[in-house]
Amino acid sequence: KAGVTQTPRYLIKTRGQQVTLSCSPISGHRSVSWYQQTPGQGLQFLFEYFSETQRNKGNFPGRFSGRQFSNSRSEMNVSTLELGDSALYLCASSLDEGRPTEAFFGQGTRLTVV
Amino acid sequence: GDSVTQMEGPVTLSEEAFLTINCTYTATGYPSLFWYVQYPGEGLQLLLKATKADDKGSNKGFEATYRKETTSFHLEKGSVQVSDSAVYFCALTPGYSSASKIIFGSGTRLSIRP
């Protein structure tokens, strides 16, 4: 069974640009969550999508957005990039057919904003 | 709000030493508790979990017991190996929300000397 796939693995962008990251969950998983990992703030929850609907949202500005497609694949978008957006962005998928639910993480996309 | 506090690192041990990484939590209701591990350049892997009080999670020689009375979930291993060098995250999913919204501790970097 293929794991969670995130693309691209590495990105370098300039301040002010926008970026789109992609996540393909494990087959059959309907929940996809996104996390930002930085040395200073650690791992922070961005948002969660389930059946194409945003179900939970963390405390991030509106520049961070996401969506989920009918095949459960998800994208997150960051507009007007700032230097502080440099981070490892992790995607996690889960079956979510009841608790407890185990989340499986991808290898992440490392975004560098210059 | 819900939170996880784990011991600061880095922790450096010699091979075959005993390991304890302390973790305490604050949560409403009955959270599920997890330990995740992150190897260099990788995403997160679930190490072990416990879903109710007094449950013991175990995997690869690591153990942790869900202690509701002390709100703790300390990670232990009797004899560490060089291959255990990684960053360890204690985490919870709140009892009141989607199981996919994970709240992480700050992480503890573990280095094992041969």
Side-chain angles (χ1 to χ4, degrees), chain A residues 31 35 37 48 94 100 102 107, chain B residues 38 42 46 51 98 100 102:
Chain A
S31 169
Y35 295 82
Q37 185 177 23
E48 181 212 359
S94 60
E102 179 178 342
Q107 291 187 295
Chain B
Q38 186 174 36
E42 300 291 321
L46 179 65
T51 59
S98 159
S100 296
I102 306 171

Side-chain angles (χ1 to χ4, degrees), chain B residues 95-111:
Chain B
Y96 58 85
S97 80
S98 159
S100 296
K101 180 180 177 181
I102 306 171
I103 295 170
F104 289 93
S106 57
T108 302
R109 184 175 299 277
L110 174 66
S111 296

Side-chain angles (χ1 to χ4, degrees), chain A residues 77-99:
Chain A
N77 184 275
V78 188
S79 62
T80 319
L81 283 165
E82 301 176 359
L83 294 179
D85 297 333
S86 295
L88 180 67
Y89 290 88
L90 292 166
C91 165
S93 80
S94 60
L95 204 53
D96 200 25
E97 285 189 340
R99 298 189 67 247

Side-chain angles (χ1 to χ4, degrees), chain A residues 6 21 32-38 42-48 60 76 87-93 103 105 108-109, chain B residues 36 44 92-93 98-104:
Chain A
Q6 291 188 246
L21 313 181
V32 174
S33 303
W34 289 89
Y35 295 82
Q36 182 196 64
Q37 185 177 23
T38 60
L43 278 153
Q44 293 185 286
F45 173 77
L46 278 156
F47 29 63
E48 181 212 359
F60 278 81
M76 68 163 278
L88 180 67
Y89 290 88
L90 292 166
C91 165
S93 80
F105 284 81
T109 294
Chain B
Y36 282 87
L44 297 170
L92 66 82
T93 54
S98 159
S100 296
K101 180 180 177 181
I102 306 171
I103 295 170
F104 289 93

Side-chain angles (χ1 to χ4, degrees), chain B residues 64-79:
Chain B
T65 301
Y66 189 143
R67 300 285 189 202
K68 194 161 179 64
E69 64 276 13
T70 55
T71 61
S72 65
F73 193 55
H74 305 320
L75 182 69
E76 296 182 335
K77 187 175 185 182
S79 176

